[in-house]
Amino acid sequence: MIKAQPVRARSGRRPGQPATREAILAAARSRFAEVGYDKASIRSIASGAGVDSALVHHYFGTKRNLFIAVARIPVNPETVLAALQGAPVDELGATIVRTVVGVWDSPAGAGLVAALRGVMAGGQESLIRSFLLDIALKNVGERVDDPPGSGRTRVALVASQMVGLLAARKILEVEPLASMPLDEVVDHIGPTLQRYLTGPLPRASKA
């Protein structure tokens, strides 16, 4: 009688168990912080976690979902992304303010502020930077890249304004901005963002 041989686990690979998810998150957090969202591949993250790439997809589906889990973002960014993608270019400034501040003011807003505090306190500022520039505003940057090469600068200016607005409205609670109605916030901040996005940019100073 032929005896059945025991199945050997592949060396260097973690089995599909609860600890695997945490190992993937840890590897992803390190990789995203090191090289940013665009350059971090699922394969490199899987290698860092000691698992197959298929397991990363099993637990998180896509790289974007994995990043959201790493950054502990408590809302689905697709809500924001869909609104921005559907807005005409000449209305992007107002749309960004209305959509993003609307999320901050929703029940999920407290979770977003907590996530931001946690990432900043943990020394992972690059995660927030990567989320803003490589996910949330990447499509916007491509749409307003006029003259060519200016898109990144434009969305960086928008990000600076929105981060400052978040701090003033939700963290420092500076009045009257903290309790200002959403429509009024849009009226004040929207035109500034629109100028960053589609207005003329000063020439870079010569060294």
Side-chain angles (χ1 to χ4, degrees):
M1 179 180 295
I2 300 176
K3 294 183 179 180
Q5 298 297 316
V7 178
R8 296 181 179 179
R10 288 179 296 173
S11 61
R13 297 294 178 185
R14 297 176 183 268
Q17 56 187 2
T20 302
R21 188 177 190 277
E22 295 305 316
I24 293 170
L25 284 172
R29 185 175 296 109
S30 175
R31 191 63 178 160
F32 285 137
E34 179 183 2
V35 301
Y37 177 81
D38 280 345
K39 294 182 180 179
S41 67
I42 290 293
R43 179 175 294 181
S44 66
I45 292 169
S47 177
V51 302
D52 290 323
S53 298
L55 270 180
V56 179
H57 291 293
H58 170 74
Y59 281 106
F60 299 98
T62 65
K63 186 170 76 168
R64 180 180 292 177
N65 289 342
L66 175 58
F67 186 94
I68 291 168
V70 167
R72 297 185 177 90
I73 299 172
V75 297
N76 186 351
E78 294 298 336
T79 302
V80 175
L81 296 176
L84 300 187
Q85 290 169 0
V89 171
D90 60 357
E91 297 178 10
L92 277 171
T95 302
I96 290 172
V97 178
R98 184 173 300 282
T99 304
V100 175
V101 176
V103 173
W104 294 346
D105 291 349
S106 74
L112 281 169
V113 173
L116 177 62
R117 290 177 186 266
V119 170
M120 297 293 284
Q124 300 291 330
E125 297 88 347
S126 60
L127 292 178
I128 296 298
R129 181 173 62 248
S130 190
F131 174 74
L132 288 172
L133 299 181
D134 298 329
I135 298 179
L137 294 174
K138 183 175 182 178
N139 176 262
V140 172
E142 293 170 350
R143 295 176 65 191
V144 299
D145 191 33
D146 183 21
S150 67
R152 186 81 171 181
T153 297
R154 292 182 183 279
V155 296
L157 292 170
V158 168
S160 72
Q161 186 78 30
M162 294 306 293
V163 170
L165 178 58
L166 171 62
R169 185 172 173 88
K170 292 299 182 181
I171 298 177
L172 301 178
E173 297 184 352
V174 177
E175 293 292 0
L177 185 58
S179 58
M180 187 178 291
L182 177 57
D183 286 344
E184 194 172 342
V185 177
V186 173
D187 289 342
H188 282 299
I189 307 298
T192 298
L193 296 196
Q194 193 63 46
R195 178 172 61 82
Y196 288 154
L197 293 169
T198 57
L201 294 175
R203 293 182 180 181
S205 58
K206 296 181 180 181

